[in-house]
Amino acid sequence: MKKLRIAIDMDDVMANTSKKLLQLHASLFGSSWQPNDFKGLGFQELIKAEEYQVIREKIFEKGFFADLEVLPDAQEVVSYLHENHEVFIVSAAMEFPNSLTEKQTWLGEFFPYIHWKNIVFCGDKSIITADVLIDDHEKNLITFQGKPLLFDAIHNQTLTGYQRVHSWREVKEVIDRLAHEN
């Protein structure tokens, strides 16, 4: 088994950012959307542009990233990957300055075994060199030189051209297969 270098995004990959965005939209605009409402659609196909702008402004406020839920099985699978591979958490956090401390604190709470040297807060992920990148945004996957894995999220339902993973259990299966192929 080959030891892989794995870069893992945070928002909507480890942390359920979309759930918080939907809750925020519901509190501000009275919507009752659920993640399944987005199947086959992109996030902005259901949410009006002016509402999206209001929501986006809330993301810049202090506290937004502090209390995100961990996605199912993320802690267990990331721990397994950490034990068997070289894992880096990579977040384009620079866009949201308040998120830096909140994300670092969040990682310390839910993923305490990830050393600070393995946390990369950047603005452009094209600088990242790894064997695998697990991310939910094409802008990060398109420039990646290794194996890109698209983590399924409500905002990327119409995106094609990447291997899509729907859960952390599926991530583990794909990584195990990749490690044994090399």
Side-chain angles (χ1 to χ4, degrees), residues 108-121:
E109 179 179 348
F110 296 107
F111 300 87
Y113 48 84
I114 302 290
H115 194 277
W116 63 266
K117 290 180 180 180
N118 290 60
I119 299 171
V120 180
F121 292 141

Side-chain angles (χ1 to χ4, degrees), residues 1-5 84-85 131 175 178-182:
M1 179 171 96
K2 178 183 177 189
K3 188 172 186 169
L4 301 173
R5 176 178 275 191
N84 295 285
H85 301 282
D131 297 305
I175 297 295
L178 289 171
H180 285 94
E181 286 176 1
N182 297 313

Side-chain angles (χ1 to χ4, degrees), residues 71-84:
L71 282 171
D73 301 316
Q75 289 169 296
E76 180 182 333
V77 174
V78 172
S79 177
Y80 167 82
L81 295 176
H82 177 262
E83 291 170 14
N84 295 285

Side-chain angles (χ1 to χ4, degrees), residues 18-145:
S18 287
K19 181 175 181 179
K20 184 159 184 179
L21 290 171
L22 289 177
Q23 291 169 339
L24 187 58
H25 191 275
S27 70
L28 293 171
F29 302 105
S31 63
S32 59
W33 289 320
Q34 298 298 313
N36 286 339
D37 295 333
F38 292 84
K39 293 295 179 194
L41 299 171
F43 191 69
Q44 292 174 321
E45 291 177 271
L46 283 180
I47 296 177
K48 297 175 188 172
E50 59 273 8
E51 292 175 356
Y52 179 77
Q53 207 44 45
V54 171
I55 298 294
R56 184 164 167 73
E57 289 172 16
K58 295 289 186 188
I59 299 171
F60 284 89
E61 292 180 4
K62 189 172 182 159
F64 180 84
F65 293 92
D67 61 352
L68 298 174
E69 288 182 16
V70 179
L71 282 171
D73 301 316
Q75 289 169 296
E76 180 182 333
V77 174
V78 172
S79 177
Y80 167 82
L81 295 176
H82 177 262
E83 291 170 14
N84 295 285
H85 301 282
E86 186 180 18
V87 171
F88 287 86
I89 307 305
V90 181
S91 181
M94 300 308 294
E95 183 177 1
F96 307 105
N98 285 323
S99 76
L100 295 170
T101 301
E102 293 171 6
K103 287 183 176 198
Q104 186 175 12
T105 300
W106 187 89
L107 285 167
E109 179 179 348
F110 296 107
F111 300 87
Y113 48 84
I114 302 290
H115 194 277
W116 63 266
K117 290 180 180 180
N118 290 60
I119 299 171
V120 180
F121 292 141
C122 59
D124 181 352
K125 292 185 188 176
S126 68
I127 65 164
I128 301 303
T129 302
D131 297 305
V132 179
L133 172 62
I134 306 165
D135 206 298
D136 60 311
H137 281 288
E138 182 175 39
K139 67 183 178 185
N140 301 317
L141 298 171
I142 199 164
T143 59
F144 185 64
Q145 298 300 307

